Amino acid sequence: MKYNTKRKRKARLRNLFRSTSPQVEEGHTKISFSALKKLASTNEQKDILKRIEQETIPTVRNAWIDYFLEKTKQSKYKSD
């Protein structure tokens, strides 16, 4: 195997394991992580945000986003 071939394979692997962007995509709508941070008011919501930020699997991240939005909606109704 030539040096260039090994180098290309390493680059492909690096791209596979590269961390995700801070923008979270839900369906066709992109949600800014900073916008989600503004919604977080409780420690539980902040913990969920950490999980969203660290998650690499898009479907799991979307599930965490749904859970986060559900929790923020519930806390909004409790405070009213």
Side-chain angles (χ1 to χ4, degrees), residues 1-11 14:
M1 192 177 322
K2 292 185 177 183
Y3 175 72
N4 287 337
T5 308
K6 287 183 182 179
R7 196 171 178 185
K8 287 180 184 177
R9 284 187 181 173
K10 282 185 180 180
R14 235 180 283 128

Side-chain angles (χ1 to χ4, degrees), residues 54-67:
Q54 294 172 354
E55 187 56 59
T56 57
I57 303 170
T59 53
V60 177
R61 181 184 298 141
N62 288 341
W64 277 113
I65 291 170
D66 290 341
Y67 185 69

Side-chain angles (χ1 to χ4, degrees), residues 3 13 15 27 32 46-48 61 66 76-77:
Y3 175 72
L13 286 174
N15 286 337
S32 171
K46 291 174 185 176
D47 290 340
I48 296 169
R61 181 184 298 141
D66 290 341
K76 180 182 176 186
Y77 289 130

Side-chain angles (χ1 to χ4, degrees), residues 11-24 52-58 61:
R12 286 185 199 142
L13 286 174
R14 235 180 283 128
N15 286 337
L16 282 175
F17 296 108
R18 181 176 289 163
S19 63
T20 58
S21 66
Q23 292 249 333
V24 179
I52 292 170
E53 188 175 28
Q54 294 172 354
E55 187 56 59
T56 57
I57 303 170
R61 181 184 298 141

